[in-house]
Amino acid sequence: MLINDILYIESLKDYIRVKTPTQALISYQSLTDITDKLPVERFVRVHRSYTIAIDKVSMIDGNCVEVDGRLIPISREHRQEVMEKIYK
């Protein structure tokens, strides 16, 4: 799997699910750990349970972003940073 293939990463308590166009991989690590290792100009934490690839956002609808047909919530805590990164 290449970093360019990542659509979003979802937290599953002690695990994460890394979603790509062709597969979903489960790994034992925290969302914070993997988000900290990703390039900040390409990925943003949008919710306590999600990190998304900025270039994979197809639409923003209120407090959600759409990535690969899935609506992902944007928390109030992360909203300003998300909007700045998407619209820069």
Side-chain angles (χ1 to χ4, degrees):
M1 174 182 67
L2 299 172
I3 199 166
N4 293 337
D5 295 336
I6 298 173
L7 299 170
Y8 61 87
I9 304 164
E10 179 181 7
S11 174
L12 307 168
K13 298 215 180 203
D14 295 334
Y15 294 83
I16 55 165
R17 175 186 297 132
V18 180
K19 183 73 173 89
T20 71
T22 58
Q23 59 188 343
L25 303 166
I26 307 285
S27 176
Y28 182 75
Q29 63 182 304
S30 75
L31 185 59
T32 300
D33 286 346
I34 193 157
T35 300
D36 289 346
K37 294 174 186 168
L38 293 168
V40 296
E41 65 278 357
R42 298 190 46 206
F43 293 88
V44 65
R45 181 91 174 247
V46 295
H47 187 273
R48 65 183 171 86
S49 298
Y50 292 96
T51 294
I52 62 165
I54 297 166
D55 64 336
K56 304 294 194 289
V57 173
S58 56
M59 179 179 77
I60 298 175
D61 183 15
N63 289 329
C64 293
V65 290
E66 184 177 315
V67 178
D68 194 43
R70 177 165 185 175
L71 285 178
I72 297 173
I74 304 171
S75 68
R76 284 190 301 267
E77 177 184 343
H78 296 284
R79 184 166 179 77
Q80 183 174 349
E81 180 187 3
V82 171
M83 293 306 168
E84 286 172 2
K85 285 192 171 192
I86 289 175
Y87 288 118
K88 80 168 191 179

